[in-house]
Amino acid sequence: MSTDSVVSHVVAALTVVIAASHAAGALARRLGQPPVIGQLFAGIALGPSLLGLLPGGVYEKLFPDQIQPVLTSLAQVALVFFLFAVGYELDLGLLRHQKAVTAVSVTGFVLPMLLGAGIVLALPDAFAEVNDGRPVDTTFVLYMAVALSITAVPVLASIIKDQGIARTGPGTIAMAAAGVIDALSWPVLAVVLVGGAHGSARAWVVETALLAGYVLVMLFAVRPLLARWFRRSGGPAARVPLAVTFALASAWVTHELGLHVIFGALLAGIVMPRLPDGSPDARVLGPLQDIGGLLLPMFFAISGTAVVLGGLHASDLLILAVICAAAVAGKVGAGTVSARGARGARRSWRDALLIGVLLNTRGLTELVVLNVGLQAGVIGPRLYALLVVMALLTTAATGPLIRLLRRPDETPPRPPVERKVPDVRSGAGSAPPVAADAEAAPSP
């Protein structure tokens, strides 16, 4: 295929993917669901599970093998900007303001991990079979533990805003706890995956040491230099290009260290200098979120093409039920029990259950974790498809369950209002009120 032909196919694929993703996202929002649900369904529909079934080779003509590297590269760039924004918005200072946040965060992280590891250790043969014969080793067990511990902070922010509970106790506690949970999950995932899926112990130690050294350099050398430069620099005209370069460069470094690019992007966001009040600079954050949002449909498409529903077996439904049960029990149970029993901040059973339901929200963040595991070879296509379905089901259930648990005297949510001046969007651990959903294109 010539260069001109590749460019033509890429442009056509981008047109179809972006249009379908936005249409499906808008439809999902009309149905009371976060746009990420519709966008992921659009990605699956554009993959071999649906589009590939049409006669005439429509899927092969729209997405030929020659353009797959280009589309994958665009998807990875989108993830770099998305994770940079997540890291930049990360604020653990909320732990000082909510007595229940610490208990909910720790329990909401540890219990799902224990259940995730527990179901694998209890059913090793079943998981080995659904994972295409891959060994049920320590890496796989820990990966499944992390995969069930994730809460999608940006999708949760959108749901809390749309449901009108941004300023309520459950909404505030759930948002803060979700940010802490994800802050704990990413480093654990990085340590689990460093050195590859089945690398030697020596390689794991060496690459873990290199990663730790890189983190120290970023925190104690690069961060002060960036802060000094920001104090002397002009406005966003100079800062935005630096942020873009910094995010991409850090992503490249972690890739060279044997990790996914998202870890470097997340670290770059954490290291990025903030405003004097500790909040991220909206003039820097907004453009990067917009760039990532425009490209995120490609990530949904790439994620969807990896979901081959036709390759699932009837016996896989039992494993799906086990995974979903563990995922729901871990999050809902942890949130409910810890919020109900937190010393000095005990919540009613209704509020405690609502917090647990909110923590059970998954979405793009979960998809990122699943894609990382698939690319690293820790999970195969069948298990990947089951975990994607689990993420869809748990996220889709959040809105209806909130409406079921809403107090009778609570006012119904108001439709979101468009603002002319971009705000700093609520992200990992940011305090409500919550702005646009950071996981939905074009505002991921």
Side-chain angles (χ1 to χ4, degrees):
M1 183 178 290
S2 66
T3 302
D4 288 342
S5 182
V6 170
V7 171
S8 176
H9 278 83
V10 169
V11 170
L14 281 172
T15 302
V16 173
V17 168
I18 293 176
S21 177
H22 284 271
L27 177 61
R29 186 175 286 278
R30 281 181 171 273
L31 297 175
Q33 293 290 344
V36 66
I37 295 293
Q39 291 163 349
L40 183 56
F41 272 118
I44 295 175
L46 292 174
S49 295
L50 184 59
L51 189 63
L53 300 179
L54 297 180
V58 177
Y59 174 75
E60 289 76 11
K61 292 178 181 178
L62 183 61
F63 301 106
D65 293 339
Q66 291 86 342
I67 71 169
Q68 291 296 329
V70 179
L71 301 182
T72 301
S73 299
L74 292 173
Q76 296 303 309
V77 171
L79 289 184
V80 166
F81 292 133
F82 169 72
L83 267 298
F84 175 88
V86 170
Y88 195 26
E89 292 177 310
L90 188 63
D91 180 15
L92 300 183
L94 290 173
L95 286 171
R96 299 190 299 267
H97 307 302
Q98 287 287 342
K99 295 181 180 180
V101 171
T102 302
V104 173
S105 302
V106 174
T107 310
F109 174 68
V110 174
L111 182 57
M113 285 197 69
L114 291 176
L115 289 177
I119 60 174
V120 175
L121 295 176
L123 302 168
D125 294 337
F127 274 94
E129 197 277 330
V130 79
N131 205 27
D132 302 319
R134 289 172 174 80
V136 180
D137 54 10
T138 303
T139 297
F140 177 71
V141 172
L142 291 177
Y143 173 82
M144 287 296 296
V146 175
L148 265 64
S149 71
I150 291 291
T151 295
V153 175
V155 159
L156 178 60
S158 176
I159 291 176
I160 287 176
K161 174 178 69 79
D162 291 343
Q163 295 293 329
I165 57 174
R167 296 185 182 276
T168 65
T172 303
I173 292 173
M175 270 300 302
V180 177
I181 290 170
D182 280 4
L184 296 173
S185 299
W186 291 115
V188 174
L189 181 64
V191 173
V192 169
L193 295 180
V194 70
H198 310 295
S200 65
R202 181 177 180 180
W204 184 89
V205 171
V206 170
E207 296 197 17
T208 300
L210 290 174
L211 177 62
Y214 178 62
V215 171
L216 293 176
V217 169
M218 290 284 280
L219 291 176
F220 297 106
V222 176
R223 187 171 190 171
L225 291 175
L226 283 175
R228 188 180 308 169
W229 188 89
F230 263 52
R231 287 193 297 267
R232 297 178 179 179
S233 68
R239 295 180 179 181
V240 172
L242 175 66
V244 171
T245 304
F246 184 46
L248 293 172
S250 182
W252 174 77
V253 170
T254 53
H255 181 270
E256 292 301 305
L257 290 176
L259 282 172
H260 198 279
V261 295
I262 61 171
F263 296 104
L266 181 71
L267 181 59
I270 294 173
V271 170
M272 198 70 182
R274 295 167 172 260
L275 297 176
D277 64 356
S279 63
D281 189 344
R283 299 171 300 175
V284 175
L285 183 63
L288 268 72
Q289 286 179 321
D290 292 338
I291 295 172
L294 288 173
L295 295 177
L296 271 177
M298 293 312 307
F299 174 73
F300 290 115
I302 296 298
S303 300
T305 58
V307 178
V308 184
L309 299 178
L312 297 179
H313 302 169
S315 59
D316 294 345
L317 295 179
L318 178 59
I319 295 297
L320 175 61
V322 171
I323 292 173
C324 289
V328 173
K331 288 296 186 180
V332 177
T336 303
V337 173
S338 57
R340 175 65 180 172
R343 179 177 299 179
R346 178 172 292 185
R347 316 295 302 187
S348 67
W349 279 111
R350 181 194 291 267
D351 284 354
L353 184 58
L354 180 56
I355 290 172
V357 167
L358 291 172
L359 291 183
N360 195 42
T361 303
R362 294 171 175 87
L364 178 54
T365 311
E366 179 76 14
L367 296 181
V368 173
V369 173
L370 299 182
N371 272 269
V372 171
L374 183 64
Q375 293 178 16
V378 179
I379 59 175
R382 286 170 60 193
L383 183 56
Y384 172 81
L386 295 180
L387 291 171
V388 168
V389 172
M390 178 273 293
L392 283 171
L393 293 176
T394 53
T395 305
T398 303
L401 289 176
I402 291 175
R403 290 189 286 273
L404 182 64
L405 294 170
R406 185 186 301 279
R407 294 179 181 276
D409 57 344
E410 287 179 345
T411 56
R414 297 178 180 179
V417 178
E418 295 292 336
R419 297 173 180 173
K420 294 183 180 179
V421 180
D423 291 332
V424 177
R425 299 169 191 166
S426 185
S430 301
V434 184
D437 178 7
E439 289 196 273
S443 298

